[in-house]
Amino acid sequence: MFTKILIANRGEIACRVIKSAKKMGIATVAVYSDADRHAEHVAMADEAVHIGPPPAAQSYLMADRIIAACKQTGAQAVHPGYGFLSERASFCEALEKEGIAFIGPKVKAIEAMGDKITSKKIAAEAGVSTVPGHMDLIEDEDHAARIAAEIGYPVMIKASAGGGGKGMRIAWNDAEAREGFARSKSEAASSFGDDRIFIEKFIEEPRHIEIQLIADSHGTVLYLNERECSIQRRNQKVVEEAPSPFLDAATRKAMGEQSVALARAVDYQSAGTVEFIVDKHRKFYFLEMNTRLQVEHPVTELITGIDLVEQMIRVAAGEKLGFSQDDVKIDGWAIESRLYAEDPYRNFLPSIGRLTRYRPPHEGTSDGITVRNDTGVTEGSEISMFYDPMIAKLCTHAPTRTEAIDAMADALDRFEVEGIGHNLPFLSALMQHPRWREGRLSTGFIAEEYPDGFGPVPPDDATIKRFAIAALLVSHIHGERTARISGARFSQAEKRAHEEKVVRIAGHEITGHVDHVDGDYVLRLPGREPMIVLTDWTPGARLATFHIDGARHAIKVEPADAGWRLRQLGVDLRVQVFRPRVAELARLMPEKVAPDTSAFLLCPMPGLIVSIAVNEGDEVQEGQTLAVVEAMKMENVLKAERKAIVSRIAVKPGDSLAVDEVIMEFAK
Ligand code: ADP
Ligand code: ADP
Ligand code: MG
């Protein structure tokens, strides 16, 4: 066994690998860029080596610097994590030359599976069911339209070197096939330095289900069952689970066995994942094989009890797998939520900045429920533009899917993140979504369920009542505290704390009264028996647990204009609490009206203007392309929302814009 390994990655996955190495008694070496000098993975490792400036191309992707770091520290093996150098055959080769082990598959397997066109051909030869389509390169736009029509619309246009959902577009007709081909090609060239494009059938009502494999160097290849990853935006995963609510035992076995056959065809060893798209009839088709540890591997670990990183290290050291296919079980249900620094209210566009507050829920197991949080950040960390905007992977494991979902909802409510835009509201809302809870998934779930974009969850009556109670209690406790510290005006403040209050919430007014009797808070609402409400809230806390009518609720509490901002289960409300006299006056105040921005095309994300497709004075039709903005290596086509006349163009290609900067103006 190795005595020291180097982790050629950063963030949560570097921390994750270090944990398993520590458990195995192996010393660890981290590498870091200037941006990561104070990062968690550096603090966790036994040693750390600086490898360059923040851009990945000058640090985490510099194979020679990583090899030099191995030599300098005496690391005998490298774990590449995911992304970066994890699927670079040349890196693997260079390590081999130096006699350093690569904790992953062999060069040949990485090469064969790294290219979507090649891997699809190998899969077909190995008897794996593949997506119908054209297996060769597409030359130009005309060729794209011709092949697409032959395959039959809708089709998926893909980059052969693609990954991370980039360089991929669906087309429903010839015009979209042409535009999609051009966009995918240019995106693939800029993201992967390889602009080869192919086209396959778009599988309708698709579900993304993948098989986790583990193989050793002695010929044993096992499948560790499936994960379903159908909750996606921009063809990228956000929420994953294991097992899949859709598979039956026979389909699972068939997918597992085909995956094993593919792995055997390329002499696979280490952990790997075979991704499939599954249609509504449970027919499954090979998409690609990822020859590395996958982001969502924790859900498999939770249901199988197998530490995948440990197994990868053992296999790389030449050990045999210590278990067989029959030992691989499915125990309970696991869910992973990827917490991203991206704003769900703005079409999930990335957001960057400092985590002014970062308090994950408690990890561990109690009453059969496990909470696990894989992360690489701490409070005060910066989410920078240089790397992936993932903040954490929150997982729950429970005996059943419903229990795992409820545990996730609670863990999300307890997760405090401030300082940057993030997708917690979306994840929370999803956990309550009936279609998700029923397991009726497809990769189009987000687009279908939120056709006009994700917005705040409207509160139901029970939530309004619960939030009103929480607001009354919080205001009361806050009032008592104010009374205690206000000295001279003690009696008046004390009196105010105990007065009846009016809560204004989501267009309702609820009158209530709180008393502090023998250490308990007794709440009186009109027409109801007095009730005791327990809470651990203290002034200044941003998270509180309330015990209301026998149920426990974690609600986020923030001071806001004349009251509180309360958040739970994806509901986000500003609640005002007044004394009755003030409530009367407040009723007379005019409501704030948001400015009308429909006369402008605003830049939806920080980005670079690639092109402007119209001129001043043009009349544009609904759906017509107006401009292309590049952000995070993606080209985003901005289209007209309605018929209009372009009165002014405010930017030119090459300009870099901030969020909400005006790109063009329309005549009214
Ligand atoms: P999966 O593992 O299921 O394929 P993704 O495709 O969402 O999940 O994530 C893998 C991608 O994450 C990589 O292809 C890369 O674009 C990105 N990535 C690379 N390095 C890192 C890193 N250190 N942390 C987070 N993401 C990374
Ligand atoms: P990447 O390398 O970017 O992960 P994949 O080929 O794995 O690319 O596809 C990513 C996602 O795109 C899939 O999970 C699925 O949602 C969607 N997708 C890809 N190919 C198809 C297809 N032929 N039909 C329907 N959806 C597809
Ligand atoms: Mg994929």
Side-chain angles (χ1 to χ4, degrees), residues 115-195:
D115 186 74
K116 288 197 161 85
I117 296 179
T118 316
S119 69
K120 213 174 147 178
K121 286 181 180 163
I122 297 174
E125 278 163 29
V128 178
S129 153
T130 58
V131 185
H134 186 69
M135 294 261 204
D136 287 302
L137 274 189
I138 301 293
E139 308 294 340
D140 53 28
E141 294 183 25
D142 287 340
H143 190 201
R146 202 167 64 242
I147 293 294
E150 268 171 34
I151 295 171
Y153 289 104
V155 298
M156 198 68 158
I157 303 166
K158 292 173 127 176
S160 192
K166 286 169 195 152
M168 189 183 312
R169 265 167 186 81
I170 177 171
W172 295 84
N173 54 47
D174 282 3
E176 287 179 8
R178 286 167 189 278
E179 170 152 0
F181 172 81
R183 289 273 147 258
S184 290
K185 198 174 172 68
S186 108
E187 207 171 284
S190 73
S191 297
F192 315 114
D194 175 344
D195 67 354

Side-chain angles (χ1 to χ4, degrees), residues 53-244:
Q58 297 167 44
S59 50
Y60 296 102
L61 287 168
M62 299 283 281
D64 50 349
R65 291 206 193 144
I66 287 164
I67 290 170
C70 289
K71 288 186 178 167
Q72 181 191 326
T73 56
Q76 302 134 338
V78 172
H79 196 299
Y82 52 75
F84 298 137
L85 295 169
S86 60
E87 292 170 287
R88 289 267 169 101
S90 59
F91 177 56
C92 206
E93 255 164 3
L95 285 174
E96 210 165 278
K97 276 205 197 92
E98 300 289 342
I100 303 165
F102 180 70
I103 304 174
K106 293 292 172 210
V107 178
K108 213 186 95 191
I110 297 179
E111 271 174 346
M113 294 295 115
D115 186 74
K116 288 197 161 85
I117 296 179
T118 316
S119 69
K120 213 174 147 178
K121 286 181 180 163
I122 297 174
E125 278 163 29
V128 178
S129 153
T130 58
V131 185
H134 186 69
M135 294 261 204
D136 287 302
L137 274 189
I138 301 293
E139 308 294 340
D140 53 28
E141 294 183 25
D142 287 340
H143 190 201
R146 202 167 64 242
I147 293 294
E150 268 171 34
I151 295 171
Y153 289 104
V155 298
M156 198 68 158
I157 303 166
K158 292 173 127 176
S160 192
K166 286 169 195 152
M168 189 183 312
R169 265 167 186 81
I170 177 171
W172 295 84
N173 54 47
D174 282 3
E176 287 179 8
R178 286 167 189 278
E179 170 152 0
F181 172 81
R183 289 273 147 258
S184 290
K185 198 174 172 68
S186 108
E187 207 171 284
S190 73
S191 297
F192 315 114
D194 175 344
D195 67 354
R196 290 171 307 129
I197 299 296
F198 70 107
I199 301 185
E200 63 187 22
K201 181 85 188 155
F202 177 80
I203 304 297
E204 292 185 66
E205 291 180 50
R207 299 176 73 126
H208 176 116
I209 301 177
E210 58 189 31
I211 300 290
Q212 175 70 54
L213 295 175
I214 185 81
D216 64 17
S217 55
H218 305 271
T220 301
V221 186
L222 309 177
Y223 62 92
L224 307 184
N225 299 311
E226 79 281 5
R227 295 182 285 258
E228 175 150 7
C229 320
S230 296
I231 303 293
Q232 305 184 343
R233 43 96 189 83
R234 294 192 290 269
N235 297 312
Q236 289 173 308
K237 305 156 186 168
V238 206
V239 173
E240 301 97 341
E241 61 186 307
S244 159

Side-chain angles (χ1 to χ4, degrees), residues 208 237 275 288 290:
H208 176 116
K237 305 156 186 168
E275 297 190 329
E288 63 163 343
N290 292 327

Side-chain angles (χ1 to χ4, degrees), residues 1 13 95 124 130 181 274 367 419 450 477 535 549 590:
M1 183 45 66
I13 198 63
L95 285 174
T130 58
F181 172 81
V274 181
D367 296 333
Y450 306 101
I477 296 169
T535 181
D549 285 339

